[in-house]
Amino acid sequence: MDSFLKTLQKKARENLISWSDQQLIAQEFQLTLAEAEEEILQAGFLPTRYQRNQQMISTRQQLHLFQSRVAVIGCGGLGGYILEELARLGIGQIIAIDPDVFEESNLNRQLLSTMSSLGRPKVEVAKQRLNDINPAIRVTAMATAFTKDTGQSLLASADLVVDAVDSIATRLELAAVCNHMKIPLIHGAIAGWFGQVATIAPGEETLQRLYANWHHGKGVESQLGNPSFTPAVAASLQVAEVCKLLLKQGTPVSRKMLTINLLTMQFDEIPLP
Amino acid sequence: MQITVKLFASFQTGRFQCDVRSYPESTLVSHILQELAIPESEVGIILLNMIHAKSDQSLAEGDILAIFPLVGGG
Protein backbone atom coordinates (compact mmCIF):
# COMPACT_ATOMS: atom_id res chain seq x y z
CA MET A 1 0.00 0.00 0.00
CA ASP A 2 3.06 2.24 0.21
CA SER A 3 2.92 2.82 -3.52
CA PHE A 4 -0.79 3.65 -3.22
CA LEU A 5 -0.02 6.33 -0.61
CA LYS A 6 2.87 7.69 -2.64
CA THR A 7 0.64 7.93 -5.69
CA LEU A 8 -2.00 9.83 -3.70
CA GLN A 9 0.62 12.20 -2.27
CA LYS A 10 1.95 12.85 -5.77
CA LYS A 11 -1.45 13.49 -7.30
CA ALA A 12 -3.13 15.39 -4.45
CA ARG A 13 -3.57 19.14 -4.62
CA GLU A 14 -4.09 20.38 -1.05
CA ASN A 15 -5.24 16.88 -0.05
CA LEU A 16 -7.81 16.76 -2.87
CA ILE A 17 -7.90 14.00 -5.48
CA SER A 18 -9.58 14.90 -8.77
CA TRP A 19 -12.03 12.60 -10.54
CA SER A 20 -9.59 11.96 -13.40
CA ASP A 21 -6.91 10.94 -10.89
CA GLN A 22 -9.43 8.74 -9.04
CA GLN A 23 -10.08 6.94 -12.33
CA LEU A 24 -6.33 6.56 -13.03
CA ILE A 25 -5.72 5.29 -9.49
CA ALA A 26 -8.56 2.74 -9.83
CA GLN A 27 -7.01 1.51 -13.08
CA GLU A 28 -3.44 1.43 -11.78
CA PHE A 29 -4.29 -0.47 -8.60
CA GLN A 30 -7.01 -2.62 -10.17
CA LEU A 31 -9.76 -1.24 -7.97
CA THR A 32 -13.38 -0.49 -8.78
CA LEU A 33 -14.26 3.22 -8.68
CA ALA A 34 -16.09 2.56 -5.38
CA GLU A 35 -13.06 0.78 -3.90
CA ALA A 36 -10.77 3.59 -5.09
CA GLU A 37 -13.01 6.24 -3.46
CA GLU A 38 -13.05 4.31 -0.20
CA GLU A 39 -9.26 3.78 -0.21
CA ILE A 40 -8.65 7.46 -0.99
CA LEU A 41 -10.84 8.51 1.96
CA GLN A 42 -9.28 5.83 4.17
CA ALA A 43 -5.84 7.28 3.42
CA GLY A 44 -7.05 10.71 4.57
CA PHE A 45 -7.42 12.28 1.13
CA LEU A 46 -10.64 13.81 -0.18
CA PRO A 47 -12.15 13.38 -3.64
CA THR A 48 -12.50 16.92 -5.02
CA ARG A 49 -16.27 16.43 -5.39
CA TYR A 50 -16.53 16.75 -1.59
CA GLN A 51 -14.41 19.92 -1.34
CA ARG A 52 -17.41 22.07 -0.33
CA ASN A 53 -18.46 19.49 2.29
CA GLN A 54 -15.19 19.67 4.18
CA GLN A 55 -15.93 22.69 6.37
CA MET A 56 -18.75 20.72 8.02
CA ILE A 57 -17.82 17.09 7.27
CA SER A 58 -14.31 15.84 8.03
CA THR A 59 -12.57 13.33 5.74
CA ARG A 60 -13.09 10.63 8.38
CA GLN A 61 -16.81 11.47 8.47
CA GLN A 62 -16.92 11.51 4.68
CA LEU A 63 -15.48 7.97 4.76
CA HIS A 64 -18.20 6.96 7.24
CA LEU A 65 -20.90 8.35 4.92
CA PHE A 66 -19.34 6.51 1.97
CA GLN A 67 -19.38 3.26 3.96
CA SER A 68 -23.04 3.77 4.90
CA ARG A 69 -25.99 2.03 3.28
CA VAL A 70 -29.24 3.97 3.06
CA ALA A 71 -32.52 2.64 1.64
CA VAL A 72 -35.06 5.02 0.07
CA ILE A 73 -38.58 3.61 -0.19
CA GLY A 74 -40.35 5.46 -2.99
CA CYS A 75 -38.66 7.30 -5.88
CA GLY A 76 -41.37 9.88 -6.58
CA GLY A 77 -41.83 13.38 -5.12
CA LEU A 78 -39.85 12.99 -1.90
CA GLY A 79 -37.69 10.12 -3.16
CA GLY A 80 -36.26 11.94 -6.18
CA TYR A 81 -34.87 14.78 -4.06
CA ILE A 82 -33.76 12.41 -1.29
CA LEU A 83 -31.76 10.23 -3.72
CA GLU A 84 -30.15 13.28 -5.34
CA GLU A 85 -29.12 14.76 -1.99
CA LEU A 86 -27.87 11.45 -0.53
CA ALA A 87 -25.66 10.96 -3.58
CA ARG A 88 -24.22 14.48 -3.43
CA LEU A 89 -23.74 14.17 0.35
CA GLY A 90 -21.54 11.14 -0.34
CA ILE A 91 -23.58 8.13 0.81
CA GLY A 92 -21.71 5.20 -0.76
CA GLN A 93 -24.46 2.60 -0.95
CA ILE A 94 -28.02 3.51 -1.87
CA ILE A 95 -30.98 1.15 -2.21
CA ALA A 96 -33.84 2.60 -4.29
CA ILE A 97 -37.21 0.83 -4.14
CA ASP A 98 -40.30 1.69 -6.21
CA PRO A 99 -42.58 -0.46 -8.40
CA ASP A 100 -43.82 2.39 -10.65
CA VAL A 101 -42.92 4.00 -13.97
CA PHE A 102 -42.87 7.77 -14.60
CA GLU A 103 -46.11 9.34 -15.82
CA GLU A 104 -46.90 12.76 -17.23
CA SER A 105 -48.64 13.84 -14.00
CA ASN A 106 -45.30 13.39 -12.15
CA LEU A 107 -43.64 16.20 -14.13
CA ASN A 108 -44.85 19.02 -11.83
CA ARG A 109 -42.77 17.84 -8.86
CA GLN A 110 -40.80 14.62 -9.23
CA LEU A 111 -37.14 15.52 -9.80
CA LEU A 112 -36.34 12.34 -11.73
CA SER A 113 -39.29 12.74 -14.11
CA THR A 114 -38.41 14.30 -17.45
CA MET A 115 -39.78 13.96 -20.96
CA SER A 116 -37.24 11.26 -21.67
CA SER A 117 -38.01 9.29 -18.50
CA LEU A 118 -41.78 8.99 -19.08
CA GLY A 119 -42.79 5.32 -19.16
CA ARG A 120 -39.48 4.16 -17.65
CA PRO A 121 -39.21 2.44 -14.26
CA LYS A 122 -38.49 5.04 -11.57
CA VAL A 123 -35.70 2.99 -10.00
CA GLU A 124 -33.95 2.55 -13.36
CA VAL A 125 -33.99 6.33 -13.92
CA ALA A 126 -32.80 6.84 -10.32
CA LYS A 127 -29.87 4.49 -10.82
CA GLN A 128 -28.84 6.28 -14.02
CA ARG A 129 -29.08 9.69 -12.33
CA LEU A 130 -26.99 8.60 -9.32
CA ASN A 131 -24.44 7.06 -11.66
CA ASP A 132 -24.29 10.39 -13.54
CA ILE A 133 -23.61 12.20 -10.24
CA ASN A 134 -21.03 9.73 -8.96
CA PRO A 135 -20.15 6.42 -10.69
CA ALA A 136 -18.46 5.31 -7.46
CA ILE A 137 -21.82 5.01 -5.65
CA ARG A 138 -23.15 1.46 -5.40
CA VAL A 139 -26.84 1.68 -6.27
CA THR A 140 -29.25 -1.22 -5.80
CA ALA A 141 -32.43 -0.57 -7.79
CA MET A 142 -35.47 -2.70 -6.89
CA ALA A 143 -38.54 -2.24 -9.10
CA THR A 144 -40.81 -3.82 -6.56
CA ALA A 145 -43.40 -2.73 -4.00
CA PHE A 146 -42.44 -2.60 -0.35
CA THR A 147 -44.64 -4.90 1.72
CA LYS A 148 -44.23 -6.44 5.15
CA ASP A 149 -43.43 -9.74 3.39
CA THR A 150 -40.76 -8.38 1.00
CA GLY A 151 -39.52 -5.74 3.44
CA GLN A 152 -36.97 -7.74 5.38
CA SER A 153 -35.03 -8.88 2.34
CA LEU A 154 -35.27 -5.42 0.69
CA LEU A 155 -33.83 -3.67 3.74
CA ALA A 156 -31.17 -6.25 4.61
CA SER A 157 -27.97 -4.54 5.74
CA ALA A 158 -29.43 -1.01 5.50
CA ASP A 159 -28.08 1.36 8.17
CA LEU A 160 -30.98 3.76 7.75
CA VAL A 161 -34.29 3.82 5.88
CA VAL A 162 -35.93 6.92 4.42
CA ASP A 163 -39.72 6.94 4.04
CA ALA A 164 -40.76 8.46 0.70
CA VAL A 165 -43.84 6.34 0.03
CA ASP A 166 -47.24 7.71 -0.94
CA SER A 167 -49.45 5.37 1.07
CA ILE A 168 -50.24 5.38 4.78
CA ALA A 169 -50.80 1.60 4.77
CA THR A 170 -47.30 1.02 3.33
CA ARG A 171 -45.80 3.52 5.82
CA LEU A 172 -47.21 1.60 8.75
CA GLU A 173 -45.81 -1.68 7.33
CA LEU A 174 -42.46 0.05 6.75
CA ALA A 175 -42.41 1.31 10.35
CA ALA A 176 -43.18 -2.20 11.64
CA VAL A 177 -40.43 -3.82 9.52
CA CYS A 178 -37.84 -1.16 10.50
CA ASN A 179 -38.73 -1.59 14.15
CA HIS A 180 -38.40 -5.37 13.87
CA MET A 181 -35.04 -5.06 12.07
CA LYS A 182 -33.90 -2.34 14.49
CA ILE A 183 -33.20 0.16 11.69
CA PRO A 184 -33.88 3.88 12.26
CA LEU A 185 -36.55 5.32 9.94
CA ILE A 186 -36.71 8.91 8.71
CA HIS A 187 -40.36 9.68 8.03
CA GLY A 188 -41.59 12.34 5.66
CA ALA A 189 -45.03 13.00 4.20
CA ILE A 190 -46.53 15.84 2.18
CA ALA A 191 -49.88 17.27 1.09
CA GLY A 192 -50.23 20.55 -0.82
CA TRP A 193 -48.51 23.36 1.12
CA PHE A 194 -47.99 21.07 4.11
CA GLY A 195 -45.58 18.41 5.24
CA GLN A 196 -44.24 16.55 8.22
CA VAL A 197 -40.93 14.95 9.18
CA ALA A 198 -39.99 12.67 12.08
CA THR A 199 -37.01 10.50 12.96
CA ILE A 200 -37.97 7.18 14.50
CA ALA A 201 -35.52 5.04 16.45
CA PRO A 202 -36.22 1.30 16.87
CA GLY A 203 -38.69 0.81 19.71
CA GLU A 204 -40.45 4.14 19.16
CA GLU A 205 -43.99 4.05 17.80
CA THR A 206 -44.14 7.54 16.31
CA LEU A 207 -45.82 6.52 13.04
CA GLN A 208 -48.38 4.33 14.79
CA ARG A 209 -49.29 7.40 16.88
CA LEU A 210 -49.30 9.76 13.92
CA TYR A 211 -51.68 7.56 11.99
CA ALA A 212 -53.66 6.14 14.94
CA ASN A 213 -56.93 7.54 13.54
CA TRP A 214 -56.32 6.22 10.03
CA HIS A 215 -58.59 3.43 8.82
CA HIS A 216 -58.14 3.30 5.07
CA GLY A 217 -57.38 5.41 2.00
CA LYS A 218 -55.17 8.43 1.53
CA GLY A 219 -54.61 11.56 3.60
CA VAL A 220 -55.55 15.12 2.66
CA GLU A 221 -53.04 15.01 -0.23
CA SER A 222 -55.83 13.38 -2.28
CA GLN A 223 -57.64 16.76 -2.16
CA LEU A 224 -54.62 19.07 -2.06
CA GLY A 225 -52.23 17.47 -4.56
CA ASN A 226 -48.53 18.31 -4.31
CA PRO A 227 -46.65 21.23 -5.88
CA SER A 228 -42.97 21.35 -6.89
CA PHE A 229 -41.58 22.87 -3.70
CA THR A 230 -43.16 20.93 -0.81
CA PRO A 231 -41.41 17.61 -1.61
CA ALA A 232 -38.09 19.45 -1.97
CA VAL A 233 -38.46 21.02 1.50
CA ALA A 234 -39.56 17.84 3.29
CA ALA A 235 -36.96 15.71 1.45
CA SER A 236 -34.14 18.11 2.38
CA LEU A 237 -35.15 18.00 6.04
CA GLN A 238 -35.16 14.19 5.86
CA VAL A 239 -31.65 14.11 4.35
CA ALA A 240 -30.41 16.51 7.05
CA GLU A 241 -31.72 13.97 9.56
CA VAL A 242 -29.90 11.13 7.72
CA CYS A 243 -26.64 13.11 7.83
CA LYS A 244 -27.02 13.91 11.55
CA LEU A 245 -27.92 10.35 12.49
CA LEU A 246 -25.04 8.79 10.54
CA LEU A 247 -22.53 11.31 11.89
CA LYS A 248 -24.06 11.32 15.39
CA GLN A 249 -24.32 15.11 15.37
CA GLY A 250 -26.98 17.61 16.38
CA THR A 251 -30.49 16.89 17.59
CA PRO A 252 -32.84 14.75 15.51
CA VAL A 253 -36.63 15.24 15.36
CA SER A 254 -37.01 12.30 17.70
CA ARG A 255 -40.17 11.41 19.68
CA LYS A 256 -41.82 14.35 17.98
CA MET A 257 -43.00 15.51 14.59
CA LEU A 258 -41.94 18.61 12.74
CA THR A 259 -45.00 19.96 10.98
CA ILE A 260 -44.42 22.28 8.04
CA ASN A 261 -46.85 24.89 6.75
CA LEU A 262 -45.39 26.66 3.72
CA LEU A 263 -48.50 28.81 3.31
CA THR A 264 -47.85 30.59 6.61
CA MET A 265 -44.13 29.59 6.86
CA GLN A 266 -44.76 27.97 10.23
CA PHE A 267 -42.65 25.08 11.48
CA ASP A 268 -43.99 23.50 14.69
CA GLU A 269 -42.56 20.67 16.75
CA ILE A 270 -45.28 18.41 18.09
CA PRO A 271 -44.24 16.08 20.93
CA LEU A 272 -45.09 12.41 20.36
CA PRO A 273 -43.67 10.79 23.50
CA MET B 1 -66.38 27.01 29.13
CA GLN B 2 -63.48 28.47 27.16
CA ILE B 3 -61.47 26.12 24.91
CA THR B 4 -58.44 27.14 22.86
CA VAL B 5 -58.68 25.40 19.48
CA LYS B 6 -55.55 25.21 17.33
CA LEU B 7 -55.83 23.96 13.76
CA PHE B 8 -52.89 22.79 11.68
CA ALA B 9 -52.06 22.55 7.95
CA SER B 10 -55.09 22.32 5.64
CA PHE B 11 -57.57 22.51 8.55
CA GLN B 12 -56.74 26.24 8.80
CA THR B 13 -58.04 26.89 5.28
CA GLY B 14 -61.37 28.73 5.53
CA ARG B 15 -61.30 28.39 9.32
CA PHE B 16 -58.60 29.83 11.64
CA GLN B 17 -55.17 29.04 13.09
CA CYS B 18 -55.98 29.54 16.76
CA ASP B 19 -59.18 30.68 18.43
CA VAL B 20 -60.51 30.79 22.01
CA ARG B 21 -64.08 29.56 21.77
CA SER B 22 -67.01 29.09 24.15
CA TYR B 23 -68.66 25.68 24.49
CA PRO B 24 -71.21 24.21 26.90
CA GLU B 25 -70.07 21.87 29.67
CA SER B 26 -69.44 18.24 28.66
CA THR B 27 -68.61 19.14 25.05
CA LEU B 28 -66.70 16.31 23.36
CA VAL B 29 -63.81 16.67 20.89
CA SER B 30 -66.12 15.18 18.24
CA HIS B 31 -68.64 18.02 18.77
CA ILE B 32 -65.94 20.56 17.92
CA LEU B 33 -64.96 18.57 14.82
CA GLN B 34 -68.62 18.60 13.73
CA GLU B 35 -68.99 22.32 14.47
CA LEU B 36 -65.91 23.06 12.36
CA ALA B 37 -67.03 20.67 9.58
CA ILE B 38 -63.85 18.61 9.89
CA PRO B 39 -64.58 15.00 8.82
CA GLU B 40 -63.16 12.56 11.37
CA SER B 41 -61.76 10.50 8.48
CA GLU B 42 -59.40 13.41 7.67
CA VAL B 43 -58.09 13.77 11.22
CA GLY B 44 -54.57 12.52 11.88
CA ILE B 45 -53.80 13.36 15.48
CA ILE B 46 -55.67 15.18 18.21
CA LEU B 47 -53.71 16.62 21.11
CA LEU B 48 -55.52 17.73 24.25
CA ASN B 49 -53.17 19.82 26.40
CA MET B 50 -50.29 18.33 24.34
CA ILE B 51 -51.37 14.74 25.14
CA HIS B 52 -52.88 12.35 22.59
CA ALA B 53 -56.66 12.33 22.72
CA LYS B 54 -59.55 10.58 21.00
CA SER B 55 -62.60 12.23 19.52
CA ASP B 56 -64.91 10.86 22.23
CA GLN B 57 -63.02 12.63 25.01
CA SER B 58 -64.79 15.41 26.91
CA LEU B 59 -63.30 18.85 27.39
CA ALA B 60 -62.79 21.00 30.47
CA GLU B 61 -62.47 24.74 31.05
CA GLY B 62 -59.18 26.12 29.76
CA ASP B 63 -58.27 23.06 27.65
CA ILE B 64 -56.06 23.49 24.62
CA LEU B 65 -57.13 21.32 21.70
CA ALA B 66 -54.87 20.85 18.65
CA ILE B 67 -56.12 19.07 15.53
CA PHE B 68 -53.88 17.83 12.69
CA PRO B 69 -54.92 16.35 9.33
CA LEU B 70 -53.75 13.01 7.98
CA VAL B 71 -50.82 13.79 5.68
CA GLY B 72 -49.66 10.83 3.62
CA GLY B 73 -48.28 11.95 0.24
CA GLY B 74 -44.79 11.17 -0.93
Side-chain angles (χ1 to χ4, degrees), chain B residues 40-70:
Chain B
E40 282 204 38
S41 61
E42 290 181 13
V43 175
I45 44 176
I46 300 165
L47 296 181
L48 185 54
N49 303 320
M50 298 305 273
I51 296 167
H52 269 259
K54 293 193 168 172
S55 61
D56 59 0
Q57 266 175 258
S58 58
L59 300 163
E61 171 66 31
D63 275 350
I64 300 171
L65 180 69
I67 309 167
F68 299 79
L70 272 177

Side-chain angles (χ1 to χ4, degrees), chain A:
Chain A
M1 252 359 203
D2 261 3
S3 61
F4 185 75
L5 255 184
K6 275 182 194 151
T7 306
L8 289 179
Q9 282 162 350
K10 207 164 74 189
K11 293 194 180 296
R13 298 279 173 278
E14 292 176 9
N15 237 36
L16 297 172
I17 301 291
S18 70
W19 175 248
S20 57
D21 282 338
Q22 183 172 333
Q23 286 176 294
L24 289 173
I25 288 163
Q27 211 168 18
E28 187 179 335
F29 292 91
Q30 294 183 316
L31 301 169
T32 64
L33 288 167
E35 288 166 345
E37 186 152 326
E38 192 167 343
E39 292 292 341
I40 288 165
L41 288 162
Q42 202 111 46
F45 292 84
L46 192 69
T48 305
R49 65 171 58 248
Y50 302 123
Q51 187 177 8
R52 294 293 186 273
N53 280 1
Q54 70 181 338
Q55 305 305 326
M56 57 177 283
I57 298 170
S58 70
T59 301
R60 185 137 291 280
Q61 289 174 322
Q62 199 71 65
L63 171 65
H64 182 63
L65 294 179
F66 194 74
Q67 290 172 332
S68 297
R69 191 172 169 91
V70 177
V72 181
I73 320 301
C75 301
L78 292 170
Y81 287 100
I82 290 166
L83 289 162
E84 177 92 8
E85 292 178 20
L86 291 176
R88 293 185 188 277
L89 179 64
I91 303 298
Q93 297 176 65
I94 297 175
I95 305 165
I97 300 169
D98 197 304
D100 295 335
V101 297
F102 281 111
E103 298 171 9
E104 205 173 323
S105 61
N106 300 149
L107 288 167
N108 79 319
R109 70 196 184 284
Q110 299 193 12
L111 185 63
L112 294 167
S113 67
T114 57
M115 295 309 291
S116 62
S117 67
L118 295 182
R120 291 179 58 203
K122 292 184 176 181
V123 292
E124 187 187 289
V125 178
K127 186 169 183 161
Q128 186 182 336
R129 174 69 183 170
L130 299 189
N131 190 57
D132 281 348
I133 294 169
N134 184 1
I137 297 174
R138 282 162 280 200
V139 182
T140 308
M142 318 279 258
T144 182
F146 183 94
T147 67
K148 61 180 186 309
D149 300 323
T150 60
Q152 291 223 32
S153 60
L154 292 172
L155 302 185
S157 73
D159 297 305
L160 267 184
V161 174
V162 191
D163 164 13
V165 302
D166 62 356
S167 141
I168 296 172
T170 308
R171 275 202 175 87
L172 289 169
E173 290 188 348
L174 178 60
V177 172
C178 286
N179 191 35
H180 178 72
M181 296 177 74
K182 297 190 174 14
I183 306 172
L185 173 66
I186 317 292
H187 162 69
I190 47 171
W193 294 88
F194 317 107
Q196 61 191 40
V197 170
T199 290
I200 306 159
E204 295 173 1
E205 300 211 314
T206 310
L207 271 202
Q208 288 81 346
R209 284 163 193 267
L210 264 178
Y211 295 116
N213 289 329
W214 174 81
H215 298 294
H216 59 85
K218 289 195 168 278
V220 290
E221 68 279 3
S222 58
Q223 302 153 34
L224 304 175
N226 277 309
S228 62
F229 46 82
T230 311
V233 172
S236 296
L237 295 170
Q238 287 178 279
V239 175
E241 290 291 279
V242 170
C243 184
K244 281 152 57 182
L245 238 60
L246 289 174
L247 298 182
K248 298 184 173 60
Q249 285 190 338
T251 312
V253 194
S254 175
R255 295 183 187 276
K256 56 195 168 193
M257 166 182 77
L258 179 69
T259 168
I260 303 154
N261 183 336
L262 297 176
L263 204 52
T264 56
M265 283 301 172
Q266 272 181 298
F267 289 64
D268 293 292
E269 279 191 347
I270 309 304
L272 295 165

